[in-house]
Amino acid sequence: MVIFYDMKLVFATNNLNKLKEVQEILPSSIELLSLKDIDCFDEVAETATTLEGNAQLKANHITEKFGYNCFADDTGLEVAALNGAPGVYSARYAGEPANAENNMAKLLTNLDQITDRQAQFRTSICLNLDGKQFLFDGICKGEILTQQQGEKGFGYDPIFQPDGYTVSFAEMTSEEKNEISHRGLAIQKLIAFLKTY
Ligand code: IMP
């Protein structure tokens, strides 16, 4: 028999869409709190050189300063022909301030004339729970298109086409994307773990 414990859990994000999406699929015994809910307005610098490291930095900040069980995520787009770049630097690939159009333009330029277009999105989630730490990851493999397609989504969505599809992430509904996306898969692993904890 699975026993559910009453638990408050912080999701270290300011993105309310991500928060809502996770709360909807969590067991009702787990109350998800946002950073605002715990009066945390700190900007944690993402200074690690890996996705796991950045997820750990964010989760550890909350657990150490505020004392909550917490999880945090970090995502990057890893392009095979560019040795995994932009990877952990995806948000600011074209420099500060972060700008999706400039990031996509830089990536398309760097892949100009390159036929190997294989890439993957990878999300790492770090969970701090009752003094222990757990990592979960989610990968979505696909390819980088030669030009933007579609208007939905965010970030690199218009130039990423997941394997087995003929449309980009930016041409999918958020439900379609969440079912196969890196973040969706990592969150499903986290939730499966929490349900049996
Ligand atoms: P974050 O860790 O979720 O903030 O993601 C870091 C960066 O990766 C974002 O600023 C985007 O550029 C890119 N990114 C993350 N997830 C996605 C996605 O689902 N689609 C497109 N780009 C993404």
Side-chain angles (χ1 to χ4, degrees), residues 18 74-75 90-91 121 154-157 177 182-183:
K18 282 192 195 174
D74 200 36
T75 296
S90 294
F121 273 111
F154 71 101
Y156 298 87
D157 279 349
K177 181 185 162 189
H182 41 294
R183 196 170 15 261

Side-chain angles (χ1 to χ4, degrees), residues 4 7 11 17 39 56-57 68 74 83 85 90-91 97 107 112 115 121 127 135 146 148 175 179 187 194 197:
F4 291 142
M7 183 200 296
F11 184 2
N17 290 323
D39 285 329
Q56 277 169 326
L57 280 178
Y68 282 100
D74 200 36
N83 296 317
S90 294
L107 186 55
D112 194 27
T115 49
F121 273 111
L127 169 69
L135 290 173
T146 51
Q148 292 190 29
E175 288 78 17
E179 251 178 57
I187 282 172
L194 287 171
Y197 182 73

